[in-house]
Amino acid sequence: FSAGIDLGSVQKVRLDTNLAVQTVNIQDLVDSRANNIDDWIDFDGLTGGGSVDAYIEVRETDDNPSGSPTWKEWKRLYTADYEARAFQFRLQMLSTDPIYTIYVTELGVTAKEIA
């Protein structure tokens, strides 16, 4: 994500996201469990809980990104068609419960040229 995407000129592209996450209970330690292992719902603390969210944001410019570009506002990215020269991306992760965090297993964005 740090490099973004520079198409070299303004083009029409379809941006597709790839994001896979798990909710993790960071206080679920094996040593702190008192019940029998056969009764555990999950061994490694990856069962859901708490309120978490993860999503990719995008901003775009028609300018050369290595110069002094004017970027549009950040917005949540779903699969969508854009017409721009360059794109920047960032991952937003939110948790409303300090016991739960987000474990990212896949993260990416691809740009495919469209007519």
Side-chain angles (χ1 to χ4, degrees):
F1 276 23
S2 62
I5 295 175
D6 181 3
L7 302 172
S9 62
V10 176
Q11 298 178 35
K12 292 181 182 180
V13 294
R14 175 164 294 141
L15 297 179
D16 288 312
T17 62
N18 181 22
L19 176 62
V21 299
Q22 294 175 326
T23 303
V24 179
N25 179 341
I26 59 176
Q27 293 184 358
D28 184 15
L29 305 176
V30 172
D31 291 341
S32 66
R33 295 183 182 184
N35 56 340
N36 189 312
I37 192 170
D38 292 332
D39 297 329
W40 294 359
I41 296 172
D42 185 35
F43 183 81
D44 55 8
L46 294 178
T47 55
S51 178
V52 299
D53 191 15
Y55 56 91
I56 298 171
E57 289 186 328
V58 62
R59 68 180 181 172
E60 60 191 280
T61 184
D62 291 343
D63 303 327
N64 182 343
S66 63
S68 298
T70 301
W71 293 96
K72 293 186 178 178
E73 295 293 318
W74 287 103
K75 58 186 169 184
R76 196 169 186 154
L77 175 61
Y78 301 97
T79 297
D81 297 343
Y82 290 87
E83 186 171 358
R85 173 177 171 160
F87 302 93
Q88 288 184 334
F89 308 97
R90 67 183 180 188
L91 176 64
Q92 296 287 0
M93 298 188 297
L94 309 167
S95 176
T96 60
D97 187 333
I99 293 176
Y100 294 95
T101 192
I102 300 169
Y103 177 65
V104 179
T105 58
E106 295 179 32
L107 177 62
V109 176
T110 56
K112 297 177 186 174
E113 188 176 4
I114 57 175

